[in-house]
Every structure is written in C-alpha cells, then in structure tokens.
Amino acid sequence: MPATIIQANTTPFAQVAIDPVTLDIIENALRNARVEMDTTLVRTAMSPGIREQGDAFPLIADHKGRMIVGQFGSYIGPFLDGYAGTVEDGDMIFLSDPYSVQGAISHSNDWLVLLPVFKDGRLIAYTSMFGHQSDIGGKVAGSMPIDATSIFQEGVRIPPVKIWKQGVYNEDLIALVMHQTRTPEWCRADLNALIAACRVASRRVIEMAERFGDDVFVSACENLLARNHRAMKSLIEQAIGEEPVSFEDYICDDGLGFGPYKIKCTMWRENGRVVLDFAGTDPQSRGSINFLLNENMMRMFFGIYMIMVFDPQILFNDGYYDLIDVRIPEGSLLKPKFPAALSGRTHALGRLFDILAGLLGQKTPEFLCAAGFSSSPHLFYSGAKPDGEWFQLFQIGFGGIPGRPMGDGPDGHSLWPNFTNVPNEFLERYFPLRIERYETVPDSGGAGLHRGGNGILMTYRFLEDGEIAIHDDRWFVPPWGVNGGEPGARATKILRKADGSQEIVGNKQEDIVVSAGDELDFITWGGAGWGDPLERDPALVAKEVVQGLVSVKGARAYGVVLQDGAVDAAATAQLRDDLRAGRQGDLPTFSYGPSIDDLRRNSLAETGLPAPKPPVWKGRAAPQPAPELAEAAE
C-alpha cells in the first residue's frame, strides 16, 4: 500500500509560464541549496567516512518525489510505494533497511533522512540525505562483514519510521538505535548532521517559493525535469542503436572462496526508450557481494554516465526516467531475495560503470572508456587501547581511473566525484597508526595513448593490537583496456609482521589479527589504458618516468627507450616499428588480458592467492567463461 499524503490545503498547483531568467535563478538557487546541505553536513558530522571523505548524498525533490538536484538519483518514489503510513506536516522519516524500500538505499549502513516540505498546508517538495554510518552493530566492527550470509549479520535494520511526528521528536527511538552501535557518539552526531542538512534545504525551498510564488516554483521544477527529458531523448537517439549489444564483466570472488561472478547487460533502443536487460547475470551469492539494485538507481547510473560522456553541460535530474526500461531477474546477483547479505555490494556497484562503458562504446568507440572504476576499496581497523578506550577506523581507498577519450585517467582517484581521501594527519592524530608510505604504483595504469590511472600503495603501521578487515576487488580479473589500450594491474594486499615474516592476504577477508608494529601494504588496482600506446608522445612518457608514474622498463610498453633519462629517438623508433610488426591484425576494441582459465591456472604464481572456486548454484552447473574473456588478448 502506498503512503498517504495528508495536506490541509488540497488545492492543486497551477502550471504557469516561466521566463528563462527566473528559471535560471531557481535552478542555481537549488544547486546552491544542495551545496549548502553538503557544507552543513561536513561541519556537524563526526565520523571520518562522512566528515572527511564525503560518503553522504543530498537530494532536493519536487512534490512528486522526483530529484531536481542531487547526486544519487531519487529514492523517494520507491519509498512512497512501500510505505503504508502517512506523510504529514512536521514529519521526518528515518530508515536504513534496503529491503523495505526496494533497494532505494543499498545497505544498512546508509542511514537516510527524508523531510517532506510543507508550505501553507501543501506538500511542495522533499529534502533528503543519506550517509554511511561507521558502525551499526552486527557481527564485526564496521558492520560490513564480507563473509556474511544473511543481512541479519550486518547490524540494525531500520524500517521507515518517523523520527519526527507532527513536530515531536522520537527520543526513545533514537536511544534504542544508538544502543546497537559500537560508535554511538559518531552515529548520533552524523544523524543530527543529516537532519540539519535537510532542514537547511527545506528553508531554502520555502524561501524560493515565498519569493517567486508556489506555482512558479513548482512550474520551474517541471520545466527543469522536462528540459532534462528532451536532452536525454536526443542523446539516446544519437548514441543508442536498435540492434542489441551485450557486455559482461566479473566480480572476482565472494569472500567465501568462490568466483568469479558474472554481471551481464544487454542494451538496445525500442520505441524511443532504452532497454537495459540484465538477463544472464549470475544468481545471487551466498556471500555479501549481492547488490539489491533499484531500477531507478540504475536509471540514474545510466543517465549520469550518458551525460558525463556525451554532454556534461546537461543538468542531471530525474526527468528522463520514463525513457529507460530496466529489467533485472529476480534472485540474481543484482536482485537477491531476502534475507541475502548486502554489505559487500560496492564491488557490483562499481562494476556497473565498467559495464556501461563497454555497452555505450560499442556503437561509438571514440567515446569508449576503459575499465577501472571497478570497486570501492575498504579498510577496517579496530581494537582497544591499553586504557580500554575503543578505536575503530573505516576508510575508503581509491584505485586508478580508466583512460578516457579526452585524456589519461587520474591516479588514485575516487569512483564518486565528491569523495576525498582522509588526510594522513587526521588518521595519525585520531587512530593508533602511522602512514609510512602513500604513493602511486608505477606502471599499474594500463599503457595506452591515454594512460590508465595508477593504483595507490598505502602502507599502514599499526601501533596497537587489533583486527583489520579488507574489502576490495580486481585482484583476479584485471580491468580491461580499449581501442588497443592495455589492461590495468591488479590489486594486492601484503601483511608484514613485526617479526619479519610476511604474507599476502585476501582482498575480501575479515578478522585479520594484527599486532603493534605490523605493517599492511594496501595496493589498489590500476585503470586500464585507452588507445594505441605506441602513439603516446615519447616526451610525455619520459616526463612520467621522472615523476615516478612509469618505470624505465614500463616505458617500453609505449615503445619508448630512455638513456640517462632522455628519449633515445632512434631506439624508440626502432622499438615501435618492431612492436607494430609483431602485431597480428588490427588492435582489439577490448583488451581483456588472459582468459578465465589462464587466470585460474596462474593465480597462485601471479597473485600469491589460490584461484576462487567456480560458483555452483542448486540445480545449476558452474557458468562457463565469457567468450570475450575466454580468448586471451595476446
């Protein structure tokens, strides 16, 4: 049963004409309100994940729940469809359970606050924000057990409830929720920050409506949505063909020893709409790498990718959603059945951007991006100091961004545009650790006309006994290159003990015991390359050798020979001629690297880890490797 909206004034809004100047003023005022939400949050939150890294997402929507400004697309529609209660003036909704809102938020650590904005008795807008909480209880510190087999192991699940009801705060509810977390001070401060951000945006919306009039404000929102619809419709006609194209990629493993898991999508244009069909995606995992993908979220992913690749000047909002038909099989990795675990869903989330690149670039290779977004590396470190004080770190790491049509991929950059790294000074001040090294990994970005971004090496020295957990991917199946670009390097994690011994630890592993003096080399994957590396400017390659981004040996992948730091022009020309002569046929559109079978065979020797076992589901044999990956790109 959908939600019931209670309004003292049921007069419908009138659609009125909006002149371009007024529309521009309202559009930019909404953008500024969205920025003000971020600023409010950062100034009042406490956890490093939100305050330092920006793991929170604001939203301002119209009175129908459609996002006008924001970053993650609107989840209000799925919430309203699944919420059986009322929405009234003075209410504020609080929730975190993905299954209660059809995956509109993707795991229980994301606490969401939703504020309906009423003016003169009418619902005129919504403001909302969700942010990642550092701990919500559950079986492990950080509440994201990669080895979970049920969502019940992942901490407190909050169904949609009213944190404020007709202006009255539910203190008992908050006390109950905070009792579940290992970090109640952080969580309470972060929740208050989310509330404050929503209230700031609500005031700005009301100020706009008071200045221009309610009907003008609502009509302006309709105009912004319609403008986005027209722009996206034009992009779809230009970039998406009627002939179906398919692409598939893999999540390396599930943290339980099985993998890789296939995600497949087929795309085509039909009656002016894009169809994204995930038939052929593997069934849900017993582990936590499942991603309960809400269809609107996928529409958002597709739209923002289209806009950023083809026309970045378009204002991103929800106006185009009816142009995209998303089909996800029930019981698959992207639509798991309750109570499947979800805490490791970032690997599938990141992989979707690689898959979109592979789909959209098949018709327009000049716009094709390589692989490299891929994942969101996490490190958890927790324990008790000698005086009994509890410490707990959750940190998001970054890998290499792929080579792109317009240039190189950034080194060690975030998947999400507004994320930032946690300053090393902050880490060393508030946690018992020291950062010994923080640098890019030379040659980890795939060679190409446009080089893939390098991965990051971050060496942590732990100063207190404790436990760590690692969540990462792209350690088994490498990021693939395009238009002749080479694959990126894979991720690895090395634990060096204080006694001098060392071991390679898994990229999805819980409960790793560390002692004071132990060091962890946390090495992320590199982005893959774009275009023929033999076309890259030799002088640029030489400069990157000086900068430590490419090694002297790695320069040879570009056909560049250096002598005493300078380009040897004659030797470079000869090497490039020899490399071109050794090629067989045209450069491949996709350079996948070794086949899955070869990766399995060589896993221990190349990665230091045994290959994951092929997944087997009840009543179904293990899937065969994709034809594209089965044929190694020699």
Side-chain angles (χ1 to χ4, degrees):
M1 179 182 296
T4 301
I5 311 296
I6 306 296
Q7 301 182 89
N9 180 357
T10 58
T11 305
F13 294 106
Q15 287 295 311
V16 297
I18 307 291
D19 65 86
V21 174
T22 300
L23 184 64
D24 190 59
I25 292 172
I26 292 176
E27 175 185 350
N28 284 283
L30 285 166
R31 290 183 190 229
N32 289 339
R34 180 245 197 247
V35 172
E36 197 173 356
M37 293 178 77
D38 285 327
T39 303
T40 301
L41 184 83
V42 168
R43 289 177 175 173
T44 50
M46 284 185 64
S47 69
I50 291 181
R51 188 176 77 177
E52 299 296 327
Q53 297 212 270
D55 193 357
F57 300 89
L59 167 72
I60 301 175
D62 73 348
H63 67 293
K64 297 179 182 178
R66 298 170 295 181
M67 187 189 79
I68 306 300
V69 291
Q71 184 174 339
F72 226 88
S74 181
Y75 34 73
I76 297 173
F79 158 74
L80 294 174
D81 290 342
Y83 181 55
T86 60
V87 175
E88 304 179 59
D89 195 0
D91 289 352
M92 181 180 285
I93 309 297
F94 175 37
L95 64 98
S96 73
D97 177 27
Y99 287 103
S100 69
V101 288
Q102 306 169 41
I105 53 174
S106 59
H107 70 155
S108 301
N109 286 75
D110 285 340
W111 284 5
L112 184 149
V113 170
L114 173 63
L115 176 61
V117 181
F118 285 81
K119 181 178 181 293
D120 300 327
R122 288 192 294 185
L123 178 66
I124 195 169
Y126 292 90
T127 65
S128 182
M129 199 167 201
F130 71 86
H132 179 99
Q133 302 302 306
S134 293
D135 191 280
I136 57 168
K139 64 178 287 196
V140 298
S143 314
M144 296 174 63
I146 197 66
D147 58 354
T149 56
S150 165
I151 198 171
F152 293 109
Q153 298 170 313
E154 298 175 349
V156 62
R157 296 164 47 235
I158 305 168
V161 292
K162 292 186 179 181
I163 190 173
W164 290 80
K165 185 174 182 179
Q166 297 180 21
V168 178
Y169 186 58
N170 193 339
E171 180 61 45
D172 289 342
L173 167 67
I174 299 309
L176 176 64
V177 171
M178 296 305 164
H179 195 65
Q180 314 305 313
T181 169
R182 298 172 180 85
T183 57
E185 296 86 1
W186 284 2
C187 288
R188 184 180 289 272
D190 289 355
L191 177 59
N192 287 337
L194 294 170
I195 292 171
C198 290
R199 291 208 181 279
V200 166
S202 172
R203 288 198 297 270
R204 299 296 175 259
V205 166
I206 291 174
E207 289 168 1
M208 279 181 260
E210 288 175 342
R211 177 182 177 184
F212 296 100
D214 297 357
D215 292 336
V216 171
F217 175 79
V218 170
S219 296
C221 291
E222 291 286 352
N223 272 252
L224 293 172
L225 292 163
R227 188 178 69 185
N228 184 275
H229 186 279
R230 292 192 299 272
M232 185 61 71
K233 186 175 179 65
S234 176
L235 285 183
I236 288 171
E237 291 291 337
Q238 296 171 28
I240 311 299
E242 295 182 348
E243 188 71 24
V245 294
S246 295
F247 199 80
E248 57 192 55
D249 205 342
Y250 291 83
I251 299 172
C252 294
D253 71 309
D254 59 7
L256 300 176
F258 295 91
Y261 287 79
K262 180 175 67 177
I263 299 176
K264 180 178 180 179
C265 187
T266 301
M267 177 183 72
W268 67 94
R269 190 178 81 247
E270 182 178 297
N271 299 323
R273 303 176 73 213
V274 175
V275 178
L276 299 172
D277 188 349
F278 286 92
T281 296
D282 279 344
Q284 69 189 64
S285 167
R286 182 171 175 268
S288 69
I289 60 169
N290 304 294
F291 180 23
L292 184 60
L293 178 58
N294 180 268
E295 284 78 3
N296 276 354
M297 188 179 292
M298 187 61 212
R299 293 181 179 102
M300 181 276 296
F301 289 162
F302 177 85
I304 199 167
Y305 197 97
M306 286 278 290
I307 288 170
M308 294 307 295
V309 170
F310 293 104
D311 193 350
Q313 299 305 312
I314 297 174
L315 172 68
F316 171 66
N317 62 39
D318 285 359
Y320 63 87
Y321 278 12
D322 66 326
L323 296 173
I324 303 172
D325 178 10
V326 180
R327 304 172 185 178
I328 309 172
E330 289 287 335
S332 70
L333 196 71
L334 301 180
K335 190 69 71 175
K337 296 179 180 179
F338 179 82
L342 304 174
S343 57
R345 93 285 182 227
T346 54
H347 312 298
L349 189 159
R351 197 69 82 257
L352 288 174
F353 284 91
D354 287 341
I355 289 171
L356 283 173
L359 285 170
L360 293 170
Q362 291 185 45
K363 181 182 176 183
T364 53
E366 66 274 16
F367 287 107
L368 182 60
C369 286
F373 291 106
S374 300
S375 185
S376 181
H378 295 348
L379 174 71
F380 303 83
Y381 172 42
S382 61
K385 297 178 182 179
D387 61 2
E389 180 187 357
W390 178 257
F391 65 86
Q392 182 174 320
L393 170 67
F394 159 67
Q395 184 180 9
I396 301 171
F398 303 145
I401 299 298
R404 303 162 294 165
M406 69 288 295
D408 296 346
D411 304 304
H413 200 279
S414 167
L415 165 67
W416 300 108
N418 287 346
F419 274 21
T420 58
N421 68 308
V422 179
N424 293 342
E425 296 81 2
F426 180 94
L427 293 172
E428 295 179 344
R429 171 63 180 83
Y430 292 102
F431 300 96
L433 56 79
R434 183 180 303 130
I435 305 302
E436 301 289 356
R437 300 173 71 187
Y438 183 41
E439 58 195 46
T440 63
V441 181
D443 302 329
S444 56
L449 171 63
H450 299 151
R451 178 177 60 81
N454 282 336
I456 289 291
L457 163 60
M458 198 165 182
T459 299
Y460 299 83
R461 179 186 291 272
F462 305 110
L463 304 181
E464 297 286 355
D465 296 350
E467 289 188 351
I468 64 171
I470 298 168
H471 299 188
D472 201 2
D473 206 60
R474 286 297 192 196
W475 69 270
F476 182 67
V477 179
W480 34 266
V482 297
N483 297 333
E486 294 296 325
R490 293 177 284 181
T492 189
K493 312 295 181 286
I494 304 170
L495 181 61
R496 291 183 279 111
K497 306 292 286 185
D499 63 10
S501 62
Q502 72 174 38
E503 63 174 317
I504 296 177
V505 294
N507 281 268
K508 297 185 185 70
Q509 190 168 337
E510 295 286 343
D511 306 321
I512 304 170
V513 176
V514 294
S515 302
D518 292 352
E519 292 186 355
L520 174 69
D521 289 340
F522 196 102
I523 304 169
T524 59
W525 27 263
W530 187 99
D532 186 354
L534 302 185
E535 298 298 324
R536 190 170 179 83
D537 182 1
L540 178 57
V541 175
K543 180 180 179 181
E544 291 182 322
V545 170
V546 173
Q547 293 172 330
L549 301 174
V550 176
S551 70
V552 173
K553 180 180 178 181
R556 298 183 68 86
Y558 302 89
V560 175
V561 180
L562 301 175
Q563 292 291 341
D564 300 323
V567 176
D568 185 326
T572 294
Q574 184 61 54
L575 178 58
R576 288 187 164 187
D577 287 344
D578 292 344
L579 291 173
R580 288 190 181 97
R583 290 173 172 171
Q584 297 179 355
D586 296 333
L587 290 173
T589 302
F590 296 100
S591 301
Y592 296 101
S595 68
I596 295 290
D597 286 341
D598 284 343
L599 291 172
R600 288 194 193 282
R601 242 185 327 267
N602 300 322
S603 180
L604 191 59
E606 293 178 354
T607 71
L609 296 170
K613 301 174 183 177
V616 178
W617 297 274
K618 186 176 181 180
R620 175 178 166 178
Q624 298 300 309
E628 305 96 273
L629 290 178
E631 297 179 4
E634 298 295 336

